[in-house]
Amino acid sequence: MADDLPTVCVVGAGPAGIYAAHLLTQSMPAVTVDLLEKLPVPYGLVRYGVAPDHPRIKKIVDSLHQLLENPSIRLLCDIEVGRDVTVEQLLSGYDAVVLATGADRDATLDIPGHDLAGSHGAAAFVSWYDAHPDADPDWPLDATEAAVIGAGNVALDITRMLAKPADALLHTDVPEHVHAGFAGSALRDIHLFARRGPADTRFSPLELRELGEQRDVDVIVDPAEIELDEHGRRMVAQFTPKRQIVDTLQGWAAREPTGAPRRVHLHFYRAPVRIEGTDHVEALTVERTAPDDLGRTTGTGEYETHPVQAVYRAVGYTGSPVPGAPFDPARGAIPHAAGRVLDDDGATIPGLYATGWIKRGPVGLIGSTKSDAKETVESLVADLAPRGGSTRVDGLLARRPVTWEGWLRVDAAELAAGVARGRDRVKLVTREELVAAAREDG
Ligand SMILES: Cc1cc2nc3c(=O)[nH]c(=O)nc-3n(C[C@H](O)[C@H](O)[C@H](O)COP(=O)(O)OP(=O)(O)OC[C@H]3O[C@@H](n4cnc5c(N)ncnc54)[C@H](O)[C@@H]3O)c2cc1C
């Protein structure tokens, strides 16, 4: 009887949730998966995190889209777990629940002045340029000098997006207000500060190289700051990506600036100490650091103050707790054993699982959410004992979800908006626009 077939609810339609839903249908052909998403549209950070000038990565949406074209998966967007329905209700309505709620907030950088006007978390800026429906449409780009704090790919995304000539975004999916915001930018100098040395950054070599391939931008590196110590030499000898990073930086250090209208200055061995200003950012003070043999750094007591009017803190993302589920604030993630969610005493909670960034913490590329989902789905399938008679989410929702057909209508509307402007796609922005486009009756 259909009622005896297994039912699973996956919460979060980012890559982790979509891969988990897909793997569930592969492992249990009779399963029905409901995929709940709080935003009116699916794809999580692939749509609202990956930079718009990275079309090759954005294309991952196409393969996720194909996975969702599966009649065993029911997409229900614009439904937030914790607001529209509780974890407890889901646990009683399904045979199992998988939390794949990702990470959408900035980790804190607790230095004086971090809350001044003009000090921005990376997540807010990324949400603005990726046209997240909850982002403020106005972004201040009136600073002539800005600092970016961080040494990972998000710091590179932010630096590149700030430096990029606005017309280079005209072939991307950014809506008009984002293009206009960048077109009005007053920025001349962007300073990126990394606490450690060049061989200890978390940059991807390709993404770093891309920074120097932009027109009208000079990348400036002080040769003295990228000299390798004993530890750096070991890293470069052992790991090809580290060598590629250092090669790229050495190439830039040897280059003469061309007099381009924008300059990106890369600073190493600089730890942020204080954002200066009374009611808005006026400068950033950093302390020079020195490495030890293991690549750790300590402060030297030597300080520098760089005049900047904006600071972007790209020191990592963190997950948000899902009401009714355990949460480890230190990791910004849900405690688990092989994907099985653990309560405060370390015991597994029957039927509750986690996958993706909310499980592992906010590190790793989209590809790693696939292997991660595999582990969680294996645990779930090994445990599953369908109870029959699942009530699912139907009957609990006070609002009408945006379904797969709704997303197809949004997709078509965005593609049509793109054609009208000679582009592949232009994103719809606000919740109202997205939900209206999703409705059959508009
Ligand atoms: C700025 C940035 C740039 C990146 N660029 C790249 C890149 O170029 N290449 C690459 O490979 N990786 C990149 N990544 C990493 C990649 O985005 C992540 O590896 C991946 O998105 C993690 O997937 P996830 O499904 O766990 O989380 P997410 O993508 O965050 O998806 C989680 C989903 O859950 C939803 N959700 C949250 N809470 C609830 C709730 N209570 N109820 C219902 N739904 C909820 C969210 O709205 C979201 O849609 C980038 C990350 C960031 C932050």
Side-chain angles (χ1 to χ4, degrees):
M1 220 173 82
D3 264 355
D4 297 333
L5 301 180
T7 59
V8 179
C9 180
V10 177
V11 182
I18 295 175
Y19 287 133
H22 166 71
L23 289 171
L24 282 163
T25 64
Q26 299 289 294
S27 315
M28 299 186 290
V31 76
T32 300
V33 181
D34 283 351
L35 181 55
L36 269 50
E37 166 58 50
K38 71 176 178 183
L39 297 177
V41 288
Y43 309 126
L45 285 170
V46 186
R47 185 174 159 102
Y48 291 123
V50 171
D53 63 338
H54 277 172
R56 198 176 52 80
I57 313 289
K58 286 278 189 205
K59 279 264 174 227
I60 292 176
V61 161
D62 295 349
S63 54
L64 296 174
H65 182 106
Q66 278 172 15
L67 298 183
L68 289 179
E69 279 173 340
N70 176 341
S72 301
I73 301 175
R74 184 169 65 149
L75 181 69
L76 300 169
C77 292
D78 205 18
I79 302 297
E80 180 170 346
V81 173
R83 183 194 62 183
D84 300 310
V85 58
T86 65
V87 169
E88 202 185 350
Q89 286 172 320
L90 295 179
L91 281 171
S92 63
Y94 292 86
D95 294 313
V97 175
V98 181
L99 301 174
T101 51
D104 55 2
R105 289 184 299 137
D106 286 294
T108 46
L109 175 69
D110 206 4
I111 57 173
H114 69 92
D115 51 356
L116 282 170
S119 164
H120 310 289
F125 183 50
V126 168
S127 291
W128 172 74
Y129 69 56
D130 253 343
H132 190 290
D134 297 339
D136 189 332
D138 296 319
W139 190 268
L141 283 163
D142 46 1
T144 53
E145 295 153 304
V148 178
I149 299 171
N153 287 334
V154 175
L156 283 183
D157 279 350
I158 286 179
T159 305
R160 190 184 66 253
M161 289 297 290
L162 286 172
K164 194 176 266 303
D167 61 6
L169 292 173
L170 279 176
H171 65 280
T172 73
D173 63 9
V174 301
E176 189 42 43
H177 74 276
V178 173
H179 174 254
F182 279 118
S185 169
L187 266 173
R188 295 282 166 265
D189 290 277
I190 302 146
H191 297 265
L192 181 143
F193 294 96
R195 187 184 294 265
R196 304 205 288 172
D200 285 304
T201 60
R202 282 166 286 112
F203 302 143
S204 300
L206 260 178
E207 294 219 8
L208 180 67
R209 214 175 302 150
E210 201 186 337
L211 197 59
E213 289 165 357
Q214 304 195 91
R215 93 184 130 77
D216 295 341
V217 179
D218 279 333
V219 181
I220 296 169
V221 178
D222 178 350
E225 279 184 39
I226 54 166
E227 271 174 25
L228 295 178
D229 62 336
E230 186 54 40
H231 161 78
R233 280 194 291 276
R234 258 199 324 271
M235 296 290 280
V236 165
Q238 270 178 33
F239 303 106
T240 308
K242 301 290 183 196
R243 182 179 50 71
Q244 292 168 330
I245 287 169
V246 171
D247 284 351
T248 298
L249 293 170
Q250 285 173 341
W252 289 338
R255 243 169 32 183
E256 281 299 318
T258 64
R262 284 203 175 123
R263 290 171 291 274
V264 169
H265 310 258
L266 302 182
H267 304 275
F268 297 93
Y269 301 112
R270 302 288 195 288
V273 172
R274 201 168 45 248
I275 302 175
E276 314 283 353
T278 40
D279 56 5
H280 63 272
V281 172
E282 290 170 23
L284 174 71
T285 297
V286 295
E287 181 178 11
R288 294 188 77 130
T289 62
D292 67 12
D293 282 352
L294 296 172
R296 290 171 306 212
T297 53
T298 44
T300 60
E302 210 182 315
Y303 296 91
E304 296 166 356
T305 296
H306 296 257
V308 292
Q309 304 82 47
V311 173
Y312 290 80
R313 299 171 268 111
V315 294
Y317 273 49
T318 188
S320 300
V322 180
F327 188 71
D328 174 358
R331 283 199 316 124
I334 292 176
H336 74 97
R340 296 178 177 95
V341 174
L342 303 176
D343 68 15
D344 293 346
D345 299 323
T348 56
I349 300 181
L352 193 59
Y353 300 83
T355 195
W357 271 18
I358 197 63
K359 166 190 174 190
R360 273 181 300 119
V363 283
L365 296 175
I366 297 161
S368 53
T369 61
K370 202 186 255 181
S371 42
D372 196 35
K374 186 167 175 287
E375 180 192 56
T376 295
V377 168
E378 281 171 2
S379 296
L380 188 157
V381 172
D383 300 346
L384 194 79
R387 292 166 293 180
S390 297
T391 52
R392 299 165 72 191
V393 79
D394 307 72
L396 293 174
L397 301 177
R399 50 205 278 132
R400 190 148 62 108
V402 171
T403 59
W404 176 242
E405 289 68 32
W407 159 247
L408 292 181
R409 282 189 278 274
V410 173
D411 193 32
E414 292 189 339
L415 293 173
V419 169
R421 294 169 178 81
R423 304 200 234 161
D424 286 347
R425 170 188 300 273
V426 174
K427 274 180 180 168
L428 300 182
V429 186
T430 63
R431 278 179 182 265
E432 293 72 24
E433 271 178 326
L434 290 163
V435 172
R439 300 280 178 240
E440 221 167 341
D441 47 17

